[in-house]
Amino acid sequence: MSWFRRRTEPEPEPVHLPNPAEAAVAFWQEWFELLPTVSAALGDGEPYRVEGDLGAMVAAMHPDLEFSLERGHRAIYALVITSREDPRLRPYTDAWIEAAPSEDMIWEYHDSVPPVPDPTLVTINVGPRRMRLADVRLVAQVSFGLVDVAVYHPEFAHLDDKARQTMTFLPLDVTLGERLAGERLGRVETASAEPEGTIDLLEFRELVRAMVGEPT
């Protein structure tokens, strides 16, 4: 799978539009014009060919939005545009998803990063190292409707600080989805040694979903 990326550099100049609703309409008009080119690039396994055009379209709604093209869960492909739970940007993603076309067999659309069906099947390449999310262990403590988490992976000892921080949060987003993680995660810490009483990512997802009454 391809991980979330910011727009390619240099940044396109944002186009001023009066409001998020009109910006969303303009995006979808351009999307349908670009769609044959997007389909051809994905069919050839070369999504980078359309990243610049898509980046400009996303920046025209707001320059701080992020996007990705992913494998879909219900369709073949997914287009994700996210605010990263920034309240300044949520009106734009709300308007964008409200104006989105109906999903079909080819495309689905998400206004936040969705959870993967089984995070324990995911392997992340971090430099020369391959990190299986099946090896993630964590301790979770529920407090006042939030979950405080300590995350451990046996490869943490071999990562620099930045990579270790990324790999502390990324498994949680992958497991819960961006929105649920933003709503329910409290303090998140990196564990240098495996704590006692750990659970895996699937057990963690069951715990958090049970808190909010979602099906596991």
Side-chain angles (χ1 to χ4, degrees), residues 163-206:
R164 193 179 302 115
Q165 181 180 27
T166 297
M167 289 306 301
T168 297
F169 284 90
L170 188 148
L172 305 178
D173 283 343
V174 165
T175 300
L176 299 180
E178 178 185 26
R179 186 149 297 172
L180 184 58
E183 291 173 351
R184 292 297 172 176
L185 289 181
R187 186 174 65 250
V188 177
E189 299 179 349
T190 303
S192 57
E194 183 172 0
E196 295 183 359
T198 60
I199 58 177
D200 65 19
L201 291 174
L202 292 177
E203 292 170 313
F204 174 64
R205 180 157 64 191
E206 290 181 2

Side-chain angles (χ1 to χ4, degrees), residues 2 12 14 21 34 44 51 55 57 59 67 72 91 103 106 113 133 136 139 163 170 172 192-193 211 215:
S2 59
L34 187 64
D44 293 339
E51 284 185 10
M57 291 162 54
F67 77 99
E103 294 183 358
I106 307 299
V113 180
L133 298 193
V136 172
V139 174
L170 188 148
L172 305 178
S192 57
M211 287 174 53

Side-chain angles (χ1 to χ4, degrees), residues 91-151:
Y92 294 90
T93 52
D94 287 347
W96 176 80
I97 199 67
E98 183 176 352
S102 299
E103 294 183 358
D104 54 31
M105 295 178 61
I106 307 299
W107 285 100
E108 61 189 66
Y109 309 100
H110 300 278
D111 60 345
S112 63
V113 180
V116 301
D118 187 349
T120 64
L121 300 180
V122 175
T123 299
I124 307 298
N125 293 321
V126 183
R129 300 189 177 278
R130 291 171 55 82
M131 300 184 61
R132 298 187 329 128
L133 298 193
D135 295 330
V136 172
R137 293 292 181 270
L138 50 85
V139 174
Q141 182 175 359
V142 178
S143 177
F144 300 106
L146 298 177
V147 185
D148 296 331
V149 185
V151 182

Side-chain angles (χ1 to χ4, degrees), residues 5 14 58 74 88 90-91 103 106 132 144 151 156 158 160 172 183 210 214:
R5 54 190 175 270
V58 173
R74 299 178 297 274
R88 298 179 304 114
R90 282 291 295 275
E103 294 183 358
I106 307 299
R132 298 187 329 128
F144 300 106
V151 182
F156 278 172
H158 305 292
D160 60 30
L172 305 178
E183 291 173 351
E214 289 188 8

